[in-house]
Amino acid sequence: MAALMMVGATATVTPWAKVVAPPIILHHHRRITATCFLRRAFSLKASSLSHQHQEPSPVRVRFAPSPTGNLHVGGARTALFNYLFARSKGGTFVLRIEDTDLERSTKESEEALLRDLSWLGLGWDEGPGVGGDYGPYRQSERNSLYKQYAEKLLESGQVYRCFCSNEELEKMKEVAKLKQLPPVYTGKWANATNEEVEEELTKGTPYTYRFRVPKGNLKINDIIRGEVSWSLDTLGDFVIMRSNGQPVYNFCVTVDDATMAISHVIRAEEHLPNTLRQALIYKALGFPMPYFAHVSLILAPDRSKLSKRHGATSVGQFREMGYLPEAMVNYLALLGWGDGTENEFFTLNQLVEKFTIERVNKSGAVFDSTKLRWMNGQHLRARPSQEVAQLIGDHWKASGLLTVSTGPFVDVRFDSICS
């Protein structure tokens, strides 16, 4: 309600083409001797956009939330930056639901996500409720695709079966900790013979699929953060398929982005470490690398990560408090971006015209609720007075303060607010 009351206040290039994943021919009876695969020196550089690089065509970006809760303002800003980038380049904005966390994902959360994105005006070109040529757009409906690509990597020897129990893995971690080493997998099953593997399969021993990590380094040229590099020696062979047959997050994301022909991955900086595993999977599957752009986190006034303890943090909460969607969009866009002028008032169409990914700041942006209220007041004043009166009446009715949203009482109260 306070938000509505502000009306009287002062205050290297890899061009992407449309790609449909080719059918995978699997030879299930063929066995590969794991000892044939030696760890080669490896160097991979994933290039990103710069002023000297030509734009890939077509531009395809995605917003991929998990339906495990409300849409956080940080997620909303990521969606907004993807939307603005796609619209400014004449590209495609894809919505993909990452619901592989079966225990926490709910239909109610997914519906709330879709509702909040629609309320903000961030319509998607492909995704749930819209369809598209690259569906399905929920990860829970794409399991057969993940299994196909996992089998392809197993056939090529870039993935192997690991029969280690949870107890063995915990012991490896303890030993590494005592030796002050990274808690990486020791590679016990990396060079197992066919006979050893067949013996465990015959016994019905559960197994995971582990990716063979080569030696060397990996670099990416992030659009926002510049060059980022990792040593692969600290990674260790990682799991892409669990023993229950479910794929892990990094494998799903890579397969999805590749088979959906995503050209630019614009996401929060907390996903930057995931890029290491994903880049290796891209390379192993022979897919071109997308451009990466990792956006800094939204911070609380004390410069910690913005969370529930700092008050309202979800889009739905701000909507219920009476904030306008155009004010939320305007404010979120300014958290880490600007057009280089002193102007702070933008409509969504103006943001599309002005937005460039190169002007996104790599430093964290502080969420200022006072500034958001001021911004909301600016957008309220830009609306016709009768429209604002209707908004206030609707909000009072939705809050249970009134049984009707129009009438003399609303008009009198609106006049008193504006006077």
Side-chain angles (χ1 to χ4, degrees):
M1 184 60 207
L4 285 173
M5 291 296 212
M6 284 297 295
V7 64
T10 302
T12 43
V13 180
T14 305
W16 267 105
K18 182 176 178 181
V19 177
V20 178
I24 302 172
I25 308 300
L26 301 178
H27 305 283
H28 293 287
H29 300 293
R30 179 179 165 214
R31 298 293 182 185
I32 298 178
T33 303
T35 52
C36 295
F37 297 96
L38 303 177
R39 297 184 184 276
R40 300 183 298 275
F42 180 85
S43 179
L44 174 64
K45 185 170 183 179
S47 297
S48 285
L49 186 65
S50 74
H51 293 293
Q52 291 75 35
H53 289 153
Q54 180 182 354
E55 284 284 350
S57 180
V59 166
R60 290 176 56 83
V61 299
R62 49 71 164 180
F63 177 54
S66 297
T68 55
N70 298 321
L71 179 61
H72 188 272
V73 291
R77 186 190 60 170
T78 298
L80 174 62
F81 283 177
N82 276 279
Y83 175 90
L84 295 176
F85 185 76
R87 292 290 176 266
S88 67
K89 301 297 183 182
T92 302
F93 177 49
V94 179
L95 176 62
R96 184 175 72 229
I97 303 298
E98 298 190 341
D99 57 351
T100 52
D101 188 342
L102 301 179
E103 293 182 359
R104 298 175 59 222
S105 296
T106 66
K107 189 66 176 176
E108 292 75 20
S109 290
E110 179 182 324
E111 291 173 352
L113 283 167
L114 302 184
R115 183 171 59 249
D116 288 342
L117 288 173
S118 297
W119 178 73
L120 291 170
L122 306 183
W124 50 98
D125 304 304
E126 297 177 20
V130 177
D133 295 336
Y134 297 85
Y137 294 92
R138 293 181 182 85
Q139 285 187 337
S140 59
E141 300 171 6
R142 297 172 63 84
N143 275 336
S144 61
L145 187 67
Y146 306 138
K147 291 176 181 178
Q148 284 182 328
Y149 279 101
E151 291 296 331
K152 179 181 180 181
L153 291 176
L154 181 66
E155 289 286 320
S156 69
Q158 293 174 97
V159 158
Y160 61 89
R161 294 181 179 88
C162 171
F163 296 90
C164 288
S165 64
N166 291 333
E167 292 74 18
E168 288 178 287
L169 296 174
E170 285 299 321
K171 188 173 182 180
M172 290 179 193
K173 291 180 182 179
E174 292 173 5
V175 172
K177 185 177 181 180
L178 290 174
K179 295 181 178 179
Q180 296 184 329
L181 296 173
V184 299
Y185 178 65
T186 59
K188 176 180 178 180
W189 284 92
N191 298 309
T193 63
N194 288 339
E195 290 73 19
E196 290 171 326
V197 171
E198 289 290 353
E199 181 180 351
E200 297 300 324
L201 290 174
T202 301
K203 291 191 295 185
T205 306
Y207 60 87
T208 59
Y209 280 13
R210 283 190 182 271
F211 186 93
R212 294 181 189 277
V213 176
K215 301 292 184 181
N217 299 286
L218 181 141
K219 295 181 181 179
I220 67 164
N221 183 27
D222 190 275
I223 298 173
I224 296 172
R225 318 195 78 77
E227 186 175 283
V228 183
S229 61
W230 296 270
S231 170
L232 299 178
D233 297 338
T234 61
L235 184 56
D237 295 350
F238 56 88
V239 174
I240 66 165
M241 294 285 284
R242 300 182 180 90
S243 58
N244 63 1
Q246 290 297 310
V248 302
Y249 169 80
N250 282 306
F251 187 59
C252 295
V253 168
T254 307
V255 170
D256 287 342
D257 286 342
T259 57
M260 291 182 177
I262 300 301
S263 64
H264 295 74
V265 174
I266 304 171
R267 58 189 179 186
E269 67 172 325
E270 58 192 354
H271 289 287
L272 186 58
N274 292 327
T275 310
L276 174 56
R277 290 174 173 82
Q278 292 167 17
L280 292 173
I281 297 170
Y282 272 109
K283 176 74 173 177
L285 288 173
F287 284 118
M289 198 80 64
Y291 295 106
F292 291 100
H294 288 90
V295 182
S296 294
L297 299 177
I298 295 179
L299 307 176
D302 61 1
R303 303 200 69 81
S304 63
K305 183 178 178 181
L306 186 67
S307 63
K308 292 179 181 179
R309 66 186 177 88
H310 298 109
T313 58
S314 73
V315 171
Q317 287 175 301
F318 288 108
R319 174 168 48 82
E320 292 171 1
M321 291 165 65
Y323 285 89
L324 299 178
E326 57 264 40
M328 286 297 303
V329 165
N330 192 164
Y331 183 67
L332 290 175
L334 298 179
L335 290 178
W337 174 87
D339 70 343
T341 71
E342 296 298 317
N343 183 31
E344 292 186 309
F345 185 92
F346 298 96
T347 65
L348 184 56
N349 287 337
Q350 289 170 337
L351 287 170
V352 170
E353 294 175 4
K354 298 284 187 179
F355 185 81
T356 59
I357 194 70
E358 291 87 353
R359 293 200 62 84
V360 174
N361 198 316
K362 65 181 179 181
S363 300
V366 175
F367 191 92
D368 185 346
S369 57
T370 301
K371 181 68 174 288
L372 173 58
R373 286 195 296 272
W374 173 85
M375 183 68 69
N376 197 64
Q378 300 298 306
H379 282 274
L380 278 168
R381 282 192 289 274
R383 288 197 178 194
S385 59
Q386 287 303 312
E387 191 175 318
V388 177
Q390 183 66 54
L391 283 170
I392 292 176
D394 290 341
H395 185 75
W396 280 341
K397 182 180 179 182
S399 302
L401 298 176
L402 298 176
T403 57
V404 294
S405 59
T406 58
F409 179 80
V410 174
D411 294 338
V412 170
R413 294 300 300 162
F414 174 70
D415 291 339
S416 68
I417 291 171
C418 295
S419 62

